[in-house]
Amino acid sequence: YGAVGIPSEAGYGGGYPGDPFPLESRTELRRRGRTLLDKAVRDLRTEFAGARGRLTEGHPPVELLAEAKKARAHLVVLGARGLRGLDRFFLGSVSQQVLAHAESSVLIVP
């Protein structure tokens, strides 16, 4: 089960000062997210016939945890990338937050 989170129109990515995703680009972000998710699901189905995906908006760790819970996932697989160094220490990362709060096993792939 895959989920791709993109910023929402309220909360993260949707209205805080310095928002890197202006309203006019959200449609493009949704389109790109859908394209990426569809390709990932097609690729996964070559090995896992039951693979499916859902495009969500919001704070990525919250959305991923909610989707994993709804799907009763046995395993959440995440990539580890993004913030490094002090930024990661102070802000945390999606993979760290999911690892800390998931009700299932978590595999973090570098």
Side-chain angles (χ1 to χ4, degrees):
Y1 193 85
V4 175
I6 63 174
S8 67
E9 293 184 15
Y12 279 145
Y16 61 87
D19 180 356
F21 303 103
L23 186 58
E24 60 272 9
S25 71
R26 291 200 181 109
T27 301
E28 177 61 16
L29 283 171
R30 288 180 186 110
R31 187 194 65 73
R32 287 176 40 206
R34 172 56 54 199
T35 299
L36 287 169
L37 181 60
D38 289 347
K39 182 186 181 324
V41 170
R42 275 194 312 274
D43 291 348
L44 282 169
R45 284 187 178 153
T46 63
E47 296 291 326
F48 306 99
R52 60 187 190 271
R54 183 165 185 269
L55 186 66
T56 64
E57 296 184 35
H59 186 45
V62 171
E63 295 300 319
L64 287 166
L65 290 165
E67 289 298 318
K69 186 173 186 172
K70 271 198 283 189
R72 296 184 182 157
H74 296 280
L75 176 67
V76 175
V77 180
L78 299 167
R81 56 170 271 236
L83 297 175
R84 299 284 181 241
L86 286 178
D87 286 340
R88 187 176 197 155
F89 176 76
F90 287 113
L91 298 175
S93 72
V94 172
S95 56
Q96 287 173 329
Q97 291 177 45
V98 171
L99 181 62
H101 301 286
E103 295 178 6
S104 62
S105 297
V106 177
L107 173 63
I108 300 174
V109 181

